[in-house]
Each structure stands twice: as structure tokens, then as C-alpha cells.
Amino acid sequence: MTYELNVAHLYGDLMNTYGDVGNILALNYYAKQMDVKLNVKIVSLEEDFKAADYDLAFFGGGQDFEQTIVSQDIQTKKAELTEFIESDGPLLAICGGFQLLGHYYIGADGEKLPGIGALDHYTDKQDNHRFIGDIVIKNQETGETYHGFENHQGITFLGKGERPLGNVVSGKGNNGEDGTEGAIYKNVYCSYFHGPILTRNGDIAKHLLVAALKRKYPDADLSQQAALPIPATF
Ligand SMILES: NC(=O)CC[C@H](N)C(=O)O
């Protein structure tokens, strides 16, 4: 393989709701076709995350119990994760991972868990209610349509510098009110989609991989990678 990317799977042993680890399988599937070798490493509790060691990161969803543990540990990685994000590191965060990149998440029992505030959103609780079901959104900039499945009690409100991953066509999205779903900030993609998101929406896998390659190999000709056809899964 011509290219190589180091991937941090953040808390991969704890944050894996609905097989979000399948996003790593999907990244591998597209990376191979792009002539890219992925070196994936789980970075979990009490382990160091150094921004300079990674080219791509993935942070899956989790139940409230796992999020309680992760919300404490992730504070020790806050500075390096923020550095990674601010230096245009590509990162995909799903559901519980999305919530913990923001300022806070309020669990179903009312406990307020701190996030790392690297992105400017916050997540409040619903009263004895969850958003569960199929969801379709459309990204206004690319015109791409994304399909997924959402299951979350938290309701997220985007902040400064964040654009939605898409506008809700059907389903609930971030909060059921403002029609937004997920977030994009620099090269960070966030979503409530399980399924996992990349197996059903290969375009997002391509955006992440191409962004990581451009950042690591600024002088390379990546036109083949950028033109990789993505099969329609619907
Ligand atoms: N699926 C998830 O990652 C759930 C996240 C969080 N525990 C919530 O209910 O909102």
C-alpha cells in the first residue's frame, strides 16, 4: 500500500452501541480501495492520546453507564483531543461520543456529565422519552442524503462554528425541534446515526479518509481517492 494512516478508536472497548465498531470495518473497506493501510488502535481508560500520533479518530456511542466512566477519563485527554481537532484532524463521533465532545450531557437520571467542550454544543435530557427509529437527512452543501437509525434520550443543541451534518427529512435528529442532525466542525463529523453510519453512508467514510490523506500527504496526487465511486446502499 502507498499510504498509511494511524487511527485512534477512542474507548472502543466501552463505546460501541449497536455495533458502531462496524465503522472501522467500513473505513478499512474503503481505505483498501484507496491504496491506504489503516493501523487501528483502541485508546481507552488511563491510556495516552497524543494528537501527533494519529491521522484519524473514531468515537462510538454508549449507554449512560459507560458515558459516566468515559466522561471522567476523557478530561485527561481533553487538551490533546482539542489540539487534534483544532489542527484539522478528521474525527467521527457517534451519539454518546458526539455528546461528550460538547460541553455536557445530562443522563436519563438527571446526572450532568462533563464533556470536553472541544465543540460548542450541549446536550440536555428529555423527560422519560427517547428518540428511536429510522432517520433520513440531507446535507445542504454536498446534496448528499444519509440514512440511519437513531436511539437517544439526549437532545443536542449546536453552538458556534458548527453546521449540521444534515437537515432532517424524516426522523427526529439532534433535538426534534430545529431540524438539525449531527454536526460538522472543521474535519469533525458527528451524528446520532447507528447502523453503523459508514456502512450505509460510504460518502462520509470517503470524506474522512480523503481529509486524513490530504493532511498527512499534502503533496500527493489524491485524485483517484477523491473520485472513488461509492456504491448506493439503498
Ligand atoms: N446510543 C447512544 O450512544 C446513546 C447516548 C446516550 N446515552 C443517550 O441516551 O442519549
Side-chain angles (χ1 to χ4, degrees):
M1 301 265 180
T2 307
Y3 305 102
E4 206 165 326
L5 295 173
N6 295 330
V7 182
H9 187 179
L10 299 167
Y11 305 99
D13 53 344
L14 291 167
M15 302 285 281
N16 184 29
T17 301
Y18 295 116
D20 281 339
V21 68
N23 289 310
I24 298 286
L25 298 178
L27 281 173
N28 255 314
Y29 173 78
Y30 289 109
K32 269 197 190 125
Q33 296 172 58
M34 291 183 179
D35 198 16
V36 179
K37 179 173 184 285
L38 296 187
N39 306 313
V40 182
K41 186 174 181 296
I42 290 180
V43 180
S44 193
L45 302 177
E46 295 176 11
E47 292 176 343
D48 260 6
F49 174 87
K50 289 261 176 289
D53 291 347
Y54 295 100
D55 308 305
L56 189 59
F58 170 59
F59 191 6
Q63 310 303 318
D64 285 12
F65 176 70
E66 281 81 7
Q67 277 182 278
T68 308
I69 297 164
V70 170
S71 80
Q72 288 173 23
D73 185 88
I74 201 171
Q75 303 309 325
T76 66
K77 301 175 175 63
K78 172 177 169 159
E80 290 286 325
L81 278 171
T82 305
E83 158 71 21
F84 182 76
I85 290 168
E86 287 301 313
S87 63
D88 296 322
L91 190 163
L92 173 67
I94 302 301
C95 208
F98 171 24
Q99 294 167 346
L100 291 179
L101 291 186
H103 294 293
Y104 62 82
Y105 163 64
I106 300 187
D109 63 1
E111 192 185 352
K112 186 173 183 175
L113 305 178
I116 59 169
L119 274 62
D120 195 34
H121 57 265
Y122 61 91
T123 304
D124 283 337
K125 76 185 281 286
Q126 303 187 60
D127 286 328
N128 273 323
H129 191 260
R130 302 184 70 84
F131 291 151
I132 306 173
D134 290 322
I135 172 162
V136 180
I137 63 172
K138 184 166 176 156
N139 182 291
Q140 295 307 313
E141 287 157 52
T142 61
E144 290 164 359
T145 296
Y146 305 133
H147 300 255
F149 176 80
E150 60 181 330
N151 182 351
H152 55 111
Q153 76 80 23
I155 44 173
T156 297
F157 297 88
L158 300 183
K160 239 183 28 228
E162 295 183 289
R163 327 182 307 274
L165 178 65
N167 290 345
V168 176
V169 176
S170 62
K172 297 295 183 192
N174 285 340
N175 50 53
E177 289 170 24
D178 65 13
T180 65
E181 200 294 315
I184 299 177
Y185 172 75
K186 291 181 170 258
N187 282 326
V188 181
Y189 289 73
C190 300
S191 178
Y192 271 110
F193 284 26
H194 298 286
I197 188 169
L198 298 184
T199 62
R200 297 179 74 181
N201 305 280
D203 286 309
I204 300 175
K206 185 161 106 175
H207 296 322
L208 288 161
L209 288 165
V210 169
L213 288 169
K214 279 188 180 159
R215 181 169 173 263
K216 184 166 186 182
Y217 303 98
D219 300 325
D221 174 10
L222 299 168
S223 46
Q224 180 260 325
Q225 286 75 7
L228 186 81
I230 300 296
T233 47
F234 293 88

